[in-house]
Structure formats: C-alpha cells, structure tokens
Amino acid sequence: MDPLVVPVPSLVLLIGPSGSGKSTWAARHFGPYEVVSSDRCRAMIADSEADQSVTPAAFELVRFIAARRLEAGRLAVVDATNVHAAARRHNLDLAAACGVPAVAIVLDLPVERMLANNAGRAGRVVDDEVVRRQRRDLDEALGVLGSEGYAAVHVLDEATIDAVTIERVQEP
Ligand code: CTP
Ligand code: MG
C-alpha cells in the first residue's frame, strides 16, 4: 500500500475508541515528543492517566503543547479518542489558528478487537460499555469526517493497520 503522507508541520488527529491501539500505533510511527497524549497530560496534572476529574485541564494542556509545537514548525500528533465532533473541532480550529493542515487518521477496527485489547491491559481498563459506545460514535464520525475540513482523512482497518508506513513531507 502507498505510504500515508504526513506534512510537517501539521496537526495529526488520531481518531479511535479506547482500546483501538492509538497509543501503541503512534509510538511505532512517531517520536515520543511528537505524540501529545491526553492520558499523559492527565497524569502530568493528577499523577494518573485514569483520573477523569482533570479532563478539562488535561485537554487545555494538550492544546497548549500542540500549539507551541505547531508554531515551532513541528508535528503534533494528538492522541485522544476524538470520536466526538466537538473534540475534533477544537483540534481543527487549533490547526487553522496555527496556519497548518490537519490530517485525520482513523483506527477503524472491529469492536471485538478493541474489547480484547482493553481487557488485556496491564493498567487502566475502560468499561466495555464505554468502548461499545465510542465504537458507535466512531461509526457516526466516519459519515461526516470527509466534510469537517481535514487536508486528508486516512482510515486504517485490520487489513492495513500493521502494514502502513508514514512518509513525512516537509512543507515549504
Ligand atoms: N495492543 C495490542 N496490539 C496492538 C495494539 C494494542 O496488543 N496492535 C494492546 C496494547 O498493548 C494495550 C491495549 O491493546 O494493552 C490498548 O492499546 P492502546 O494503544 O493503549 O489503545 P488506545 O487506543 O491508546 O486506548 P486509550 O484511548 O484508552 O488510550
Ligand atoms: Mg492511548
């Protein structure tokens, strides 16, 4: 398959339910500072990646770090579920404010695979019902992503997720 082209700088938005393997996939293809994770930001504030009580502050931190990286001409890979339109809109607005394109990468896997990934976790395990709901939210998102304003939308599924490679293209 063709490599997935990522302009630099750009805001790369990962989209996938909890347990879809976003953080695992991102760590394979991007550097540790390029990936800006909402869970890591939760932990930076509250010492726990699972502490939902600091969600607003964690997302403020995600957006702050992403904006500073984009202003510096770097990549920002936002690692959060992004299954809701409002979350995606924040990121699209941020990319636009920084004058860079936004690229969506969707992890479109069967719910059974996500549930199995989630159940097999060492630490933070999310309720099955949350994963199922996020999978339904993703189905809805897949119908509208094309009109939200990304420079490109890439949908990875079971057939492509392990094979795909990234090609970085430096923007002038
Ligand atoms: N996992 C796996 N094989 C993959 C991808 C993920 O075994 N190809 C496992 C991971 O080791 C982890 C679990 O599945 O134990 C969830 O993966 P993770 O990357 O953490 O999923 P996220 O989408 O990042 O979940 P969250 O939104 O909750 O952070
Ligand atoms: Mg994760």
Side-chain angles (χ1 to χ4, degrees), residues 37-44 46-52 124:
S37 150
S38 56
D39 289 327
R40 277 199 60 77
C41 286
R42 274 198 184 88
M44 282 185 229
D47 295 320
S48 162
E49 294 204 348
D51 191 334
Q52 302 292 321
R124 179 173 54 87

Side-chain angles (χ1 to χ4, degrees), residues 21-105:
K22 298 178 298 296
S23 302
T24 305
W25 188 85
R28 236 179 98 185
H29 296 283
F30 298 100
Y33 301 114
E34 290 179 330
V35 179
V36 185
S37 150
S38 56
D39 289 327
R40 277 199 60 77
C41 286
R42 274 198 184 88
M44 282 185 229
I45 294 166
D47 295 320
S48 162
E49 294 204 348
D51 191 334
Q52 302 292 321
S53 72
V54 296
T55 294
F59 279 94
E60 272 180 42
L61 189 50
V62 166
R63 289 197 282 273
F64 182 86
I65 296 168
R68 300 294 85 74
R69 289 190 58 86
L70 297 173
E71 287 165 3
R74 301 181 196 282
L75 209 54
V77 180
V78 175
D79 177 7
T81 59
N82 291 311
V83 291
H84 295 130
R88 297 192 297 275
R89 176 48 51 196
H90 277 303
N91 287 290
L92 281 156
D93 290 348
L94 179 69
C98 294
V100 305
V103 173
I105 301 182

